[in-house]
Amino acid sequence: MANVVNEFGVFLAPHRDDETRKAHAVAADKLGYGTVWFGTGSASVGDLAFVEDVLAATERITVATAIVNMWADEPEVLAESYHRLAGRYGKRLLLGIGVGHPESIAAYQSPYDKIVGYLDRLDAAGVPVEARILAALGDRVLKLAAERTAGAVPYLVPVAHTRHARSVLGPGKLLTPEQKVVVDEDPVAARAIGRPFVREPYLGLRNYVNNLRRHGYTEADVADGGSDHLIDDLVLHGTPESIAKRLRSHVDAGADHVAVQVLGPTPDVEAEHHRILAGLLL
């Protein structure tokens, strides 16, 4: 099994610049988080230059891509970068890979076949199964994650999905869902921060919307920027203690590790909330 160190990590999205995210990663390493997950969007990151920079700046934490988009980076390029870094950093490097979503790629066709072919080419290039983890929501890709990678990294999912995903993956495979949080006891203020991160782009993307429908949310929940019920499940809010308890619900449902994406008005606020949550989770 790949190395995620412990049950909680931090997810750093690309809405913050790389220097800020690097500083947060260094702090997360010192706080004891197990993994730092770097959101990449649809950008080309196959050279893993930023990942290498973060690995060099940290001592212990696993550094994971979340995700390398299969349409943006050729597997051979990614494999060459992996081998360059694995010799120096070993299991501290984890390749999160995925096929993205149809709306982002003009030439997007046959996503399942694209994943299979990409994994075949990573195999041929010598990237070990335990060094890669697959972005997965639906059962077909979850099963592929179990068969061909270290496990699955689902994004924007409720606890109900985590429970279901574990049943599909079976034992012995990593399940590492992402979970957004806003440390604020005022639900109106918290939703004002969290809702934009759910609405754009995810409630306009059919793979995410269909997945939410499969796990109990209605048409009304996914319309008009998301119902309060949906937003409150996808972006936890409240006291640090209440948020920590709800994050542990993913672990109770079968997750090995939760990638915690803290959202706040400024990077400094987010860093402080990483620190507070670390004291409760680690």
Side-chain angles (χ1 to χ4, degrees):
M1 186 179 288
N3 185 25
V4 293
V5 182
N6 61 32
E7 292 175 340
F8 295 96
V10 297
F11 187 104
L12 302 174
H15 71 283
R16 299 298 184 199
D17 65 75
D18 282 352
E19 282 305 308
T20 297
R21 295 201 292 168
K22 179 181 172 182
H24 284 182
V26 171
D29 185 34
K30 294 175 181 176
L31 287 168
Y33 284 103
T35 302
V36 57
W37 302 82
F38 284 103
T40 60
S42 59
S44 173
V45 294
D47 62 4
L48 299 182
F50 179 58
V51 170
E52 183 172 14
D53 192 24
V54 174
L55 283 165
T58 54
E59 298 179 358
R60 173 203 52 83
I61 200 167
T62 296
V63 181
T65 56
I67 59 170
V68 174
N69 190 305
M70 292 178 180
W71 302 97
D73 287 296
E74 292 298 317
E76 290 77 15
V77 174
L78 182 61
E80 182 179 353
S81 299
Y82 166 79
H83 290 301
R84 184 184 80 247
L85 298 182
R88 184 178 302 175
Y89 299 104
K91 290 185 177 181
R92 288 185 59 213
L93 171 63
L94 180 60
L95 298 178
I97 55 177
V99 77
H101 46 82
E103 293 85 351
S104 69
I105 306 295
Y108 193 101
Q109 295 177 347
S110 187
Y112 186 83
D113 291 344
K114 177 72 172 182
I115 299 170
V116 171
Y118 203 96
L119 293 173
D120 288 344
R121 290 164 69 183
L122 288 180
D123 286 344
V127 177
V129 166
E130 63 270 16
R132 62 204 196 201
I133 190 167
L134 187 61
L137 293 175
D139 288 7
R140 195 180 188 200
V141 181
L142 285 167
K143 290 174 182 176
L144 188 62
E147 294 166 1
R148 303 288 306 273
T149 77
V153 52
Y155 187 89
L156 201 77
V157 294
V159 171
H161 181 275
T162 296
R163 186 174 296 107
H164 176 76
R166 173 50 69 197
S167 72
V168 175
L169 285 173
K173 288 293 180 175
L174 282 176
L175 178 56
T176 64
E178 176 268 352
Q179 176 67 65
K180 296 174 178 58
V181 307
V182 174
V183 182
D184 195 322
E185 296 180 56
D186 180 348
V188 175
R191 290 171 192 143
I193 293 173
R195 181 172 270 111
F197 285 88
V198 175
R199 182 182 60 229
E200 299 292 343
Y202 303 107
L203 293 186
L205 303 177
R206 60 181 179 266
N207 55 335
Y208 287 100
V209 170
N210 289 342
N211 186 61
L212 291 169
R213 290 192 188 113
R214 285 194 295 268
H215 293 282
Y217 299 97
T218 67
E219 292 294 330
D221 284 322
V222 299
D224 301 321
S227 68
D228 288 350
H229 169 57
L230 176 69
I231 299 303
D232 291 350
D233 285 349
L234 298 181
V235 189
L236 307 182
H237 69 263
T239 66
E241 292 78 11
S242 67
I243 289 172
K245 182 177 180 180
R246 293 189 68 189
L247 287 169
R248 290 191 182 281
S249 295
H250 280 288
V251 177
D252 294 342
D256 298 288
H257 174 93
V258 183
V260 183
Q261 183 174 175
V262 173
L263 303 175
T266 68
D268 287 346
V269 169
E270 291 170 353
E272 175 62 9
H273 292 165
H274 288 151
R275 185 191 65 78
I276 293 170
L277 289 171
L280 298 167
L281 295 170
L282 304 177

Short mmCIF file of all heavy atoms in Angstrom, two decimals, residues 81-131:
data_model
loop_
_atom_site.label_atom_id
_atom_site.label_comp_id
_atom_site.label_asym_id
_atom_site.label_seq_id
_atom_site.Cartn_x
_atom_site.Cartn_y
_atom_site.Cartn_z
N SER A 81 9.45 11.62 -14.83
CA SER A 81 9.51 12.49 -13.66
C SER A 81 9.41 11.68 -12.38
O SER A 81 10.12 11.95 -11.40
CB SER A 81 8.38 13.52 -13.71
OG SER A 81 8.50 14.33 -14.86
N TYR A 82 8.53 10.70 -12.37
CA TYR A 82 8.39 9.83 -11.19
C TYR A 82 9.71 9.16 -10.85
O TYR A 82 10.17 9.18 -9.69
CB TYR A 82 7.31 8.77 -11.41
CG TYR A 82 7.38 7.69 -10.37
CD1 TYR A 82 6.85 7.89 -9.10
CD2 TYR A 82 8.02 6.48 -10.64
CE1 TYR A 82 6.96 6.92 -8.12
CE2 TYR A 82 8.13 5.50 -9.67
CZ TYR A 82 7.60 5.73 -8.41
OH TYR A 82 7.73 4.77 -7.44
N HIS A 83 10.35 8.56 -11.83
CA HIS A 83 11.61 7.85 -11.57
C HIS A 83 12.70 8.82 -11.09
O HIS A 83 13.52 8.45 -10.23
CB HIS A 83 12.06 7.10 -12.82
CG HIS A 83 11.20 5.92 -13.15
ND1 HIS A 83 11.01 4.88 -12.28
CD2 HIS A 83 10.46 5.64 -14.25
CE1 HIS A 83 10.20 3.98 -12.82
NE2 HIS A 83 9.86 4.42 -14.02
N ARG A 84 12.70 10.03 -11.63
CA ARG A 84 13.68 11.03 -11.19
C ARG A 84 13.53 11.33 -9.70
O ARG A 84 14.53 11.45 -8.98
CB ARG A 84 13.50 12.31 -12.00
CG ARG A 84 14.52 13.40 -11.68
CD ARG A 84 14.26 14.69 -12.44
NE ARG A 84 13.22 15.51 -11.83
CZ ARG A 84 12.04 15.77 -12.38
NH1 ARG A 84 11.72 15.25 -13.56
NH2 ARG A 84 11.16 16.52 -11.74
N LEU A 85 12.29 11.41 -9.23
CA LEU A 85 12.04 11.79 -7.85
C LEU A 85 12.00 10.59 -6.90
O LEU A 85 12.38 10.73 -5.73
CB LEU A 85 10.72 12.55 -7.75
CG LEU A 85 10.66 13.87 -8.53
CD1 LEU A 85 9.33 14.56 -8.31
CD2 LEU A 85 11.80 14.79 -8.12
N ALA A 86 11.53 9.46 -7.37
CA ALA A 86 11.39 8.31 -6.49
C ALA A 86 12.73 7.83 -5.96
O ALA A 86 12.83 7.37 -4.82
CB ALA A 86 10.68 7.17 -7.22
N GLY A 87 13.77 7.95 -6.78
CA GLY A 87 15.08 7.53 -6.31
C GLY A 87 15.58 8.36 -5.15
O GLY A 87 16.34 7.87 -4.30
N ARG A 88 15.13 9.59 -5.07
CA ARG A 88 15.57 10.49 -4.00
C ARG A 88 14.61 10.51 -2.82
O ARG A 88 15.03 10.57 -1.67
CB ARG A 88 15.73 11.91 -4.56
CG ARG A 88 16.28 12.91 -3.55
CD ARG A 88 16.46 14.28 -4.19
NE ARG A 88 17.35 14.22 -5.35
CZ ARG A 88 17.61 15.25 -6.15
NH1 ARG A 88 17.03 16.42 -5.92
NH2 ARG A 88 18.43 15.12 -7.17
N TYR A 89 13.30 10.44 -3.11
CA TYR A 89 12.31 10.64 -2.05
C TYR A 89 11.46 9.39 -1.75
O TYR A 89 10.69 9.40 -0.79
CB TYR A 89 11.39 11.81 -2.41
CG TYR A 89 12.15 13.10 -2.56
CD1 TYR A 89 12.42 13.63 -3.82
CD2 TYR A 89 12.62 13.79 -1.45
CE1 TYR A 89 13.12 14.83 -3.96
CE2 TYR A 89 13.32 14.98 -1.58
CZ TYR A 89 13.57 15.50 -2.84
OH TYR A 89 14.26 16.67 -2.97
N GLY A 90 11.59 8.36 -2.57
CA GLY A 90 10.92 7.10 -2.30
C GLY A 90 9.42 7.23 -2.16
O GLY A 90 8.73 7.86 -2.98
N LYS A 91 8.89 6.65 -1.08
CA LYS A 91 7.45 6.59 -0.88
C LYS A 91 6.83 7.92 -0.47
O LYS A 91 5.62 8.00 -0.27
CB LYS A 91 7.12 5.52 0.17
CG LYS A 91 7.37 4.10 -0.31
CD LYS A 91 6.90 3.09 0.72
CE LYS A 91 7.09 1.68 0.22
NZ LYS A 91 6.61 0.68 1.21
N ARG A 92 7.62 8.96 -0.35
CA ARG A 92 7.05 10.29 -0.08
C ARG A 92 6.36 10.88 -1.30
O ARG A 92 5.70 11.91 -1.20
CB ARG A 92 8.11 11.25 0.43
CG ARG A 92 8.60 10.97 1.86
CD ARG A 92 9.57 12.04 2.32
NE ARG A 92 8.92 13.35 2.29
CZ ARG A 92 9.54 14.49 2.01
NH1 ARG A 92 10.84 14.50 1.73
NH2 ARG A 92 8.88 15.63 2.03
N LEU A 93 6.48 10.25 -2.44
CA LEU A 93 5.85 10.72 -3.68
C LEU A 93 4.69 9.80 -4.03
O LEU A 93 4.85 8.58 -4.11
CB LEU A 93 6.87 10.74 -4.82
CG LEU A 93 6.33 11.01 -6.22
CD1 LEU A 93 5.71 12.40 -6.30
CD2 LEU A 93 7.45 10.84 -7.25
N LEU A 94 3.51 10.37 -4.23
CA LEU A 94 2.33 9.61 -4.63
C LEU A 94 1.68 10.31 -5.83
O LEU A 94 1.38 11.51 -5.76
CB LEU A 94 1.34 9.52 -3.47
CG LEU A 94 0.03 8.75 -3.71
CD1 LEU A 94 0.32 7.31 -4.10
CD2 LEU A 94 -0.85 8.81 -2.47
N LEU A 95 1.49 9.57 -6.90
CA LEU A 95 0.91 10.13 -8.10
C LEU A 95 -0.60 9.93 -8.09
O LEU A 95 -1.10 8.82 -8.29
CB LEU A 95 1.50 9.45 -9.35
CG LEU A 95 3.00 9.59 -9.58
CD1 LEU A 95 3.41 8.82 -10.83
CD2 LEU A 95 3.40 11.06 -9.69
N GLY A 96 -1.33 11.01 -7.84
CA GLY A 96 -2.77 10.99 -8.04
C GLY A 96 -3.04 11.33 -9.49
O GLY A 96 -2.60 12.35 -10.00
N ILE A 97 -3.74 10.44 -10.19
CA ILE A 97 -3.99 10.61 -11.62
C ILE A 97 -5.48 10.44 -11.88
O ILE A 97 -6.20 9.79 -11.12
CB ILE A 97 -3.19 9.60 -12.47
CG1 ILE A 97 -3.48 8.16 -12.02
CG2 ILE A 97 -1.69 9.89 -12.37
CD1 ILE A 97 -2.78 7.11 -12.86
N GLY A 98 -5.95 11.07 -12.97
CA GLY A 98 -7.36 10.96 -13.28
C GLY A 98 -7.67 11.47 -14.66
O GLY A 98 -6.85 12.11 -15.31
N VAL A 99 -8.89 11.19 -15.08
CA VAL A 99 -9.30 11.51 -16.44
C VAL A 99 -10.04 12.84 -16.52
O VAL A 99 -10.42 13.29 -17.59
CB VAL A 99 -10.15 10.36 -17.01
CG1 VAL A 99 -11.58 10.40 -16.45
CG2 VAL A 99 -10.14 10.33 -18.52
N GLY A 100 -10.20 13.53 -15.39
CA GLY A 100 -10.86 14.83 -15.43
C GLY A 100 -12.34 14.70 -15.74
O GLY A 100 -13.00 13.74 -15.35
N HIS A 101 -12.87 15.66 -16.50
CA HIS A 101 -14.30 15.64 -16.81
C HIS A 101 -14.51 16.10 -18.25
O HIS A 101 -13.70 16.84 -18.82
CB HIS A 101 -15.08 16.53 -15.84
CG HIS A 101 -14.47 17.86 -15.60
ND1 HIS A 101 -14.64 18.92 -16.44
CD2 HIS A 101 -13.65 18.30 -14.60
CE1 HIS A 101 -13.99 19.97 -15.98
NE2 HIS A 101 -13.37 19.63 -14.87
N PRO A 102 -15.60 15.63 -18.88
CA PRO A 102 -15.79 15.89 -20.31
C PRO A 102 -15.80 17.36 -20.68
O PRO A 102 -15.32 17.74 -21.75
CB PRO A 102 -17.16 15.25 -20.59
CG PRO A 102 -17.34 14.24 -19.53
CD PRO A 102 -16.64 14.79 -18.32
N GLU A 103 -16.34 18.21 -19.82
CA GLU A 103 -16.51 19.61 -20.18
C GLU A 103 -15.19 20.37 -20.30
O GLU A 103 -15.16 21.45 -20.89
CB GLU A 103 -17.39 20.31 -19.13
CG GLU A 103 -18.83 19.83 -19.12
CD GLU A 103 -19.05 18.58 -18.27
OE1 GLU A 103 -18.06 17.96 -17.80
OE2 GLU A 103 -20.22 18.21 -18.07
N SER A 104 -14.10 19.80 -19.77
CA SER A 104 -12.84 20.54 -19.77
C SER A 104 -11.94 20.22 -20.95
O SER A 104 -10.95 20.89 -21.18
CB SER A 104 -12.07 20.24 -18.47
OG SER A 104 -11.63 18.90 -18.45
N ILE A 105 -12.27 19.17 -21.71
CA ILE A 105 -11.39 18.71 -22.77
C ILE A 105 -12.15 18.64 -24.08
O ILE A 105 -13.13 17.90 -24.21
CB ILE A 105 -10.81 17.29 -22.43
CG1 ILE A 105 -10.15 17.30 -21.06
CG2 ILE A 105 -9.86 16.82 -23.51
CD1 ILE A 105 -8.92 18.19 -20.95
N ALA A 106 -11.69 19.40 -25.06
CA ALA A 106 -12.41 19.46 -26.34
C ALA A 106 -12.45 18.11 -27.04
O ALA A 106 -13.43 17.74 -27.68
CB ALA A 106 -11.76 20.51 -27.24
N ALA A 107 -11.36 17.34 -26.94
CA ALA A 107 -11.27 16.06 -27.63
C ALA A 107 -11.61 14.88 -26.73
O ALA A 107 -11.24 13.75 -27.00
CB ALA A 107 -9.85 15.88 -28.20
N TYR A 108 -12.34 15.16 -25.66
CA TYR A 108 -12.63 14.15 -24.64
C TYR A 108 -13.50 13.04 -25.23
O TYR A 108 -14.62 13.28 -25.67
CB TYR A 108 -13.35 14.82 -23.49
CG TYR A 108 -13.47 14.02 -22.21
CD1 TYR A 108 -12.62 14.28 -21.14
CD2 TYR A 108 -14.44 13.05 -22.05
CE1 TYR A 108 -12.74 13.60 -19.95
CE2 TYR A 108 -14.57 12.36 -20.86
CZ TYR A 108 -13.72 12.65 -19.82
OH TYR A 108 -13.85 11.98 -18.63
N GLN A 109 -12.98 11.80 -25.25
CA GLN A 109 -13.72 10.65 -25.74
C GLN A 109 -13.36 9.42 -24.93
O GLN A 109 -12.23 9.28 -24.45
CB GLN A 109 -13.40 10.38 -27.22
CG GLN A 109 -13.84 11.50 -28.16
CD GLN A 109 -13.43 11.24 -29.58
OE1 GLN A 109 -12.63 10.35 -29.85
NE2 GLN A 109 -13.98 12.00 -30.50
N SER A 110 -14.31 8.52 -24.74
CA SER A 110 -14.10 7.22 -24.11
C SER A 110 -13.21 7.30 -22.87
O SER A 110 -12.09 6.80 -22.86
CB SER A 110 -13.48 6.26 -25.13
OG SER A 110 -13.40 4.95 -24.60
N PRO A 111 -13.69 7.94 -21.80
CA PRO A 111 -12.83 8.15 -20.64
C PRO A 111 -12.32 6.86 -20.00
O PRO A 111 -11.17 6.81 -19.56
CB PRO A 111 -13.71 8.94 -19.67
CG PRO A 111 -15.10 8.76 -20.16
CD PRO A 111 -15.01 8.58 -21.63
N TYR A 112 -13.15 5.83 -19.93
CA TYR A 112 -12.70 4.59 -19.31
C TYR A 112 -11.54 3.98 -20.09
O TYR A 112 -10.53 3.57 -19.50
CB TYR A 112 -13.86 3.59 -19.22
CG TYR A 112 -13.50 2.34 -18.44
CD1 TYR A 112 -13.57 2.32 -17.05
CD2 TYR A 112 -13.09 1.18 -19.11
CE1 TYR A 112 -13.24 1.17 -16.33
CE2 TYR A 112 -12.76 0.04 -18.40
CZ TYR A 112 -12.84 0.03 -17.02
OH TYR A 112 -12.49 -1.10 -16.31
N ASP A 113 -11.66 3.97 -21.41
CA ASP A 113 -10.57 3.44 -22.24
C ASP A 113 -9.31 4.28 -22.10
O ASP A 113 -8.19 3.76 -22.13
CB ASP A 113 -11.00 3.38 -23.71
CG ASP A 113 -12.06 2.32 -23.96
OD1 ASP A 113 -12.25 1.43 -23.10
OD2 ASP A 113 -12.71 2.39 -25.03
N LYS A 114 -9.50 5.59 -21.93
CA LYS A 114 -8.35 6.48 -21.74
C LYS A 114 -7.60 6.10 -20.46
O LYS A 114 -6.37 6.02 -20.45
CB LYS A 114 -8.83 7.92 -21.66
CG LYS A 114 -7.72 8.95 -21.39
CD LYS A 114 -6.82 9.13 -22.59
CE LYS A 114 -5.85 10.29 -22.37
NZ LYS A 114 -4.98 10.52 -23.54
N ILE A 115 -8.35 5.85 -19.37
CA ILE A 115 -7.72 5.47 -18.10
C ILE A 115 -6.96 4.16 -18.25
O ILE A 115 -5.81 4.04 -17.83
CB ILE A 115 -8.77 5.36 -16.98
CG1 ILE A 115 -9.47 6.69 -16.75
CG2 ILE A 115 -8.11 4.88 -15.69
CD1 ILE A 115 -10.68 6.60 -15.83
N VAL A 116 -7.60 3.17 -18.86
CA VAL A 116 -6.97 1.86 -19.01
C VAL A 116 -5.68 1.98 -19.83
O VAL A 116 -4.63 1.43 -19.45
CB VAL A 116 -7.94 0.85 -19.67
CG1 VAL A 116 -7.21 -0.44 -20.03
CG2 VAL A 116 -9.11 0.56 -18.74
N GLY A 117 -5.76 2.70 -20.93
CA GLY A 117 -4.57 2.86 -21.76
C GLY A 117 -3.46 3.61 -21.05
O GLY A 117 -2.27 3.28 -21.20
N TYR A 118 -3.82 4.60 -20.27
CA TYR A 118 -2.83 5.38 -19.52
C TYR A 118 -2.14 4.50 -18.48
O TYR A 118 -0.91 4.52 -18.35
CB TYR A 118 -3.54 6.56 -18.84
CG TYR A 118 -2.65 7.73 -18.48
CD1 TYR A 118 -2.53 8.81 -19.33
CD2 TYR A 118 -1.94 7.75 -17.28
CE1 TYR A 118 -1.74 9.91 -19.00
CE2 TYR A 118 -1.15 8.84 -16.94
CZ TYR A 118 -1.05 9.92 -17.82
OH TYR A 118 -0.26 11.00 -17.47
N LEU A 119 -2.91 3.69 -17.78
CA LEU A 119 -2.33 2.79 -16.78
C LEU A 119 -1.44 1.75 -17.46
O LEU A 119 -0.39 1.39 -16.92
CB LEU A 119 -3.44 2.13 -15.97
CG LEU A 119 -4.25 3.06 -15.06
CD1 LEU A 119 -5.43 2.31 -14.45
CD2 LEU A 119 -3.38 3.67 -13.97
N ASP A 120 -1.85 1.27 -18.61
CA ASP A 120 -1.01 0.31 -19.36
C ASP A 120 0.35 0.93 -19.68
O ASP A 120 1.40 0.28 -19.54
CB ASP A 120 -1.70 -0.09 -20.67
CG ASP A 120 -2.89 -1.01 -20.47
OD1 ASP A 120 -3.04 -1.59 -19.37
OD2 ASP A 120 -3.69 -1.14 -21.42
N ARG A 121 0.33 2.19 -20.09
CA ARG A 121 1.58 2.85 -20.46
C ARG A 121 2.43 3.17 -19.23
O ARG A 121 3.67 3.11 -19.30
CB ARG A 121 1.27 4.10 -21.29
CG ARG A 121 0.72 3.75 -22.67
CD ARG A 121 0.06 4.93 -23.36
NE ARG A 121 1.02 5.96 -23.74
CZ ARG A 121 0.66 7.12 -24.31
NH1 ARG A 121 -0.64 7.38 -24.54
NH2 ARG A 121 1.58 8.02 -24.64
N LEU A 122 1.80 3.47 -18.09
CA LEU A 122 2.57 3.63 -16.85
C LEU A 122 3.20 2.31 -16.44
O LEU A 122 4.35 2.28 -15.97
CB LEU A 122 1.68 4.16 -15.73
CG LEU A 122 1.24 5.63 -15.82
CD1 LEU A 122 0.36 5.98 -14.62
CD2 LEU A 122 2.44 6.57 -15.88
N ASP A 123 2.47 1.21 -16.61
CA ASP A 123 3.04 -0.11 -16.35
C ASP A 123 4.28 -0.34 -17.20
O ASP A 123 5.33 -0.77 -16.70
CB ASP A 123 2.01 -1.21 -16.65
CG ASP A 123 0.91 -1.32 -15.63
OD1 ASP A 123 1.06 -0.79 -14.52
OD2 ASP A 123 -0.12 -1.96 -15.95
N ALA A 124 4.15 -0.05 -18.49
CA ALA A 124 5.26 -0.28 -19.41
C ALA A 124 6.46 0.59 -19.06
O ALA A 124 7.61 0.20 -19.31
CB ALA A 124 4.80 0.02 -20.84
N ALA A 125 6.20 1.76 -18.47
CA ALA A 125 7.28 2.68 -18.10
C ALA A 125 7.81 2.42 -16.69
O ALA A 125 8.66 3.17 -16.20
CB ALA A 125 6.79 4.12 -18.21
N GLY A 126 7.31 1.38 -16.04
CA GLY A 126 7.88 0.96 -14.76
C GLY A 126 7.39 1.73 -13.55
O GLY A 126 8.06 1.70 -12.51
N VAL A 127 6.24 2.40 -13.63
CA VAL A 127 5.68 3.08 -12.45
C VAL A 127 4.89 2.06 -11.65
O VAL A 127 3.91 1.49 -12.15
CB VAL A 127 4.77 4.25 -12.85
CG1 VAL A 127 4.14 4.88 -11.61
CG2 VAL A 127 5.57 5.29 -13.63
N PRO A 128 5.28 1.76 -10.42
CA PRO A 128 4.63 0.69 -9.67
C PRO A 128 3.20 1.03 -9.28
O PRO A 128 2.84 2.20 -9.08
CB PRO A 128 5.52 0.52 -8.43
CG PRO A 128 6.26 1.81 -8.31
CD PRO A 128 6.42 2.36 -9.69
N VAL A 129 2.40 -0.01 -9.14
CA VAL A 129 1.00 0.15 -8.77
C VAL A 129 0.86 0.93 -7.47
O VAL A 129 0.00 1.80 -7.34
CB VAL A 129 0.33 -1.25 -8.65
CG1 VAL A 129 -1.02 -1.14 -7.94
CG2 VAL A 129 0.18 -1.88 -10.02
N GLU A 130 1.71 0.65 -6.50
CA GLU A 130 1.58 1.28 -5.18
C GLU A 130 1.98 2.75 -5.18
O GLU A 130 1.75 3.45 -4.19
CB GLU A 130 2.41 0.53 -4.15
CG GLU A 130 3.90 0.53 -4.39
CD GLU A 130 4.37 -0.64 -5.25
OE1 GLU A 130 3.52 -1.29 -5.91
OE2 GLU A 130 5.59 -0.91 -5.26
N ALA A 131 2.53 3.25 -6.28
CA ALA A 131 2.95 4.65 -6.35
C ALA A 131 1.89 5.55 -6.99
O ALA A 131 2.10 6.75 -7.11
CB ALA A 131 4.25 4.78 -7.13
#
